[in-house]
Amino acid sequence: WNKFKNDNRLFWDELEEQMIAGDISIDTTAMILDEVKKNAYSENINDPERIETLIKSEIIKILEINKNTELNIPHEPPAVFLIVGVNGTGKTSSVAKLASMFKKDGKKVLLSAADTYRAAAVEQLQHYAEKLNLDIVYHQKFSDPGAVVYDSIEKAKAKGIDIVLIDTAGRMQTSHNLMEELKKIKKVISGRINRDADEILLVIDSTTGQNAKKQVELFNKSLNLTGIILTKTDSTSKGGIVITIKNDLKVPVKLITSGEKLDDMSYFDAVKFTDLLFS
Amino acid sequence: TLTARFEDLFYKIKNKGKLSPTDLDSALREIKLALLEADVNFKVVKEFLENVKTKATGEKILESITPYQQVVKIVNEEIIKMLGPSSGGISFSSSGPTIIMVMGLQGSGKTSSVIKLANYINSKFSRKVSIVAADIYRPAAVQQLKDMAKNINVDVFFQSGLDPVSISSKGVEFFRKNGSDVIIIDTAGRLQIDRDMMDEIANIRKKINPHLIYLVLDAMTGQEAVNIAYGFNEKVEYDGIIMTKLDSDTRGGAALSVYHVVKKPIEFISTGEKIEDFDLFHPERMASRILG
Ligand SMILES: Nc1nc2c(ncn2[C@@H]2O[C@H](COP(=O)(O)OP(=O)(O)OP(=O)(O)O)[C@@H](O)[C@H]2O)c(=O)[nH]1
Ligand SMILES: Nc1nc2c(ncn2[C@@H]2O[C@H](COP(=O)(O)OP(=O)(O)OP(=O)(O)O)[C@@H](O)[C@H]2O)c(=O)[nH]1
Ligand SMILES: [Mg+2]
Ligand SMILES: [Mg+2]
């Protein structure tokens, strides 16, 4: 067994490097390679292409176990989706893309501009509301985001809206007050619909490294995330950290965005994602 | 932290003399894990470990500290060295307005950094700063700049219907005539692999001939940081880097990888969303952060 490992050291090192280069954590990489090495040894597999296929299937296994990439739309409208994440990851544009996707599906969508803090955040979302001809609820700058959410859901009920999409301000997971603000928004939502928000999605930028795991840890602790939107997959970064996240924290990627156009959003495909990781 | 990682190894070492090769390998393994966790590029980590190994086996072990403490000292020194120089600040043009251009990936913090930089120059050097809004793509990008600029009493130039190259040159001319000392151009986020968008920024540079060009880079960037920094530099050579979002608990290994490979210094860091959350770069502080 040691001879097998050592004879092929350079080959295994290269595979390890490729996975690390894709932002998969070193622990997850080691775990996957150990599993593949065991199988390769017991089945006497020496061909690099077959080994790569084994690695890919291990990764797909991690991503697809307890597969839950469906978006939760309850029987009783409106469905309420809360979109959160650190600064600049693509929350506002993802809300717009989600809105476009649901609209194409014939759903009535309302946008909730709950980022009451950042310059022109409301105007940015308003642009999409106008473009897609959707209702949007917004308040004065620096007003309470909880109040925006309250009004949004009440208006949605009154107008027979199917889905409320809530855009929030970017924030670091280490900012206690801002995380408390999100918890408060979550309470406002359940107060209005008598159940938890149907989706609480953390937006993660593909170019982010190991910190993405810490983001999921803390956002999940505060909010109980239902899934991840992985953005900027059209960048050269592979977003491999989502494999570590799924394995260690069990939070699944539900959607990905691959560009700046409204239709650049799709449901997460584990096979496609894994193939790209090794391309 | 690296010292925390070494604590377990500390207790295992019996002799206070020279570091045995196996002990050094254990130490190097801990360093490798710490640096990869910190998002330092794996190729840079490899080179770094070689440097440390050479230094640790070559140096005379001091009497006053344990061999492992010696390694930590070497690691800290090497990291500081590899992070590049302390920021030299802004070098202004000797005649006419200083033209500064910023560029970077989508969402990296360009627009907010432009405002912070304008405020920094204004308050530190009492020079008249103006801003050109050359992002015609992102919804409400110009509004975002105008809203923030209003708070610091800075003018923003924008003209709808024009392409970014024309806006940039018209804006520079406008502010040159109205006596601005510094003119900063905010550009749209773009991927370094987007041919058309990289051509656009090269054309802006060609047209307005900036004195300073900064790449704005998110501190949370993972392994691709080197390729991003390299890709931008190949198409539009820049003078320095503005690293943003250092108020996050990200370790910031991208800083190490980027300077080591591209050799462009980090000039400024952004440490929050307030206008004053903007500082000159100091390698010692960054080093202790990367080591955790
Ligand atoms: N290339 C690319 N750019 C993207 C993608 N998703 C978002 N962007 C861009 O990333 C930038 C930031 O997007 P926003 O939607 O404003 O991000 P945000 O999370 O709402 O930002 P804050 O509200 O400031 O925290 C914009 O320039 C978007 O066009 C993507 O999938 N690919
Ligand atoms: N916490 C924190 N947030 C920051 C920092 N720098 C920028 N931001 C935030 O990051 C988000 C994106 O910043 P922008 O300035 O819009 O980024 P950009 O590069 O201009 O984005 P595009 O123009 O879409 O490419 C905003 O929410 C900013 O407030 C920082 O140092 N710390
Ligand atoms: Mg936003
Ligand atoms: Mg911008």
Side-chain angles (χ1 to χ4, degrees), chain B residues 134-153:
Chain B
D135 179 352
I136 63 169
Y137 311 98
R138 172 176 159 147
V142 181
Q143 192 59 48
Q144 182 187 10
L145 256 185
K146 286 185 171 173
D147 286 358
M148 291 200 268
K150 203 167 182 194
N151 295 335
I152 54 169
N153 244 315

Side-chain angles (χ1 to χ4, degrees), chain A residues 17 20-21 23 26 87 118 124 127-128 172-173 207-211 214-215 232 234 236-237 260, chain B residues 32 36-37 39 42 46 106 138-140 144 191-193 220-224 245 248-250 273:
Chain A
E17 288 181 353
I20 302 244
D23 285 317
I26 185 135
N87 305 71
R118 206 210 67 206
Q124 185 186 5
H127 163 89
Y128 290 113
M172 295 304 172
Q173 71 274 16
T207 64
T208 307
Q210 301 304 303
N211 195 258
K214 291 195 189 151
Q215 292 171 23
K232 308 177 199 175
D234 49 324
T236 52
S237 295
E260 299 189 77
Chain B
K32 175 183 174 185
L36 287 177
E37 255 180 21
D39 289 325
F42 75 97
K46 262 177 147 176
Q106 290 88 345
R138 172 176 159 147
Q144 182 187 10
L191 301 177
Q192 83 279 10
I193 51 168
M220 299 179 230
T221 309
Q223 293 286 314
E224 272 302 294
K245 307 182 201 171
S248 98
D249 63 351
T250 194
E273 292 194 82

Side-chain angles (χ1 to χ4, degrees), chain A residues 91-92 115 118 124 167-168:
Chain A
K91 297 176 293 300
T92 306
D115 178 355
R118 206 210 67 206
Q124 185 186 5
D167 183 25
T168 61

Side-chain angles (χ1 to χ4, degrees), chain B residues 4 12 55 66 79 87 91 102 107 130 171 196 268 277 282 286:
Chain B
K12 295 206 188 94
K55 286 223 155 68
T66 72
I79 290 192
S87 172
S91 49
V102 304
S130 301
D196 293 335
F268 295 99
D277 293 330
H282 294 293
M286 193 73 213

